[in-house]
Amino acid sequence: MKKANVVPVHKKGDKTTPKNYRPISLLPIVSKILERCIFNNIIPFLAPKIAACQHGFMKNRSTTTQLMEALHNISKILDNKKQTDVIYFDLSKAFDTVPHDLLLHKLKQFGIHGRLLKWITNYLTNRLQRVTCDGGTSSWLPATSGVPQGSILGPLLFPLYINDLPNCISDKTKWAIFADDT
């Protein structure tokens, strides 16, 4: 249940450059069914706590809603003949580098405790992964950080991890976040 075959999926650019690939974890189906059960039971509790500016992996939100909201905010500023500055950033390898201890600390702040927190801790820790590509397979290695891409819970855990990002800047700043793209 805690082993994943990681398949590199090409994102962009030169196919001979490893950084141009996204690692997708192929997880056991039983694991994904259990994840779906957990997800379905905690999303009603957690979704209202996720920042409204987060559009990634959220019900009734998308890249389109993020873009529309950003354009609306910029248009209002320009209509008032004021200056607007736009900064775009993308957290590199964001899903792969989430420190488990910090994520678990943040989950406690969201009200996740007891058996559920123990289950998520167990879910994240002592995972093994190996890369499979073109018929070849690497040795099993521990996954010491990150949330599994290709999982059911990963797209919920990552937005919870960065949820406090908008609190780091002035209240006058408008945020539009889609997963790790801001």
Side-chain angles (χ1 to χ4, degrees), residues 69-142:
E69 187 176 292
L71 288 174
H72 176 72
N73 287 328
I74 293 169
S75 294
K76 282 188 348 186
I77 293 166
L78 294 177
D79 286 348
N80 290 322
K81 301 194 184 318
K82 301 225 173 168
Q83 176 181 330
T84 186
D85 298 312
V86 178
I87 300 171
Y88 299 94
F89 65 94
D90 179 3
L91 303 172
S92 179
K93 304 292 182 199
F95 280 69
D96 302 325
T97 58
V98 173
H100 294 155
D101 56 341
L102 187 52
L103 173 59
L104 293 167
H105 173 74
K106 289 186 176 196
L107 290 176
K108 287 179 194 173
Q109 292 177 325
F110 276 98
I112 303 293
H113 299 285
R115 288 186 295 169
L116 179 57
L117 184 63
K118 285 181 184 177
W119 186 90
I120 295 172
T121 301
N122 185 284
Y123 168 79
L124 290 172
T125 57
N126 300 318
R127 296 187 73 84
L128 294 174
Q129 61 186 8
R130 66 182 179 183
V131 177
T132 60
C133 185
D134 293 330
T137 303
S138 71
S139 301
W140 290 105
L141 291 172

Side-chain angles (χ1 to χ4, degrees), residues 19-55:
K19 71 178 182 178
N20 292 336
Y21 288 81
R22 178 184 321 279
I24 301 297
S25 298
L26 301 178
L27 304 166
I29 194 71
V30 173
S31 173
K32 291 186 91 158
I33 291 169
L34 185 54
E35 283 185 65
R36 176 58 66 191
C37 292
I38 298 290
F39 179 90
N40 288 347
N41 282 284
I42 63 173
I43 194 67
F45 171 74
L46 292 173
K49 298 179 178 194
I50 295 175
C53 60
Q54 174 62 264
H55 293 259

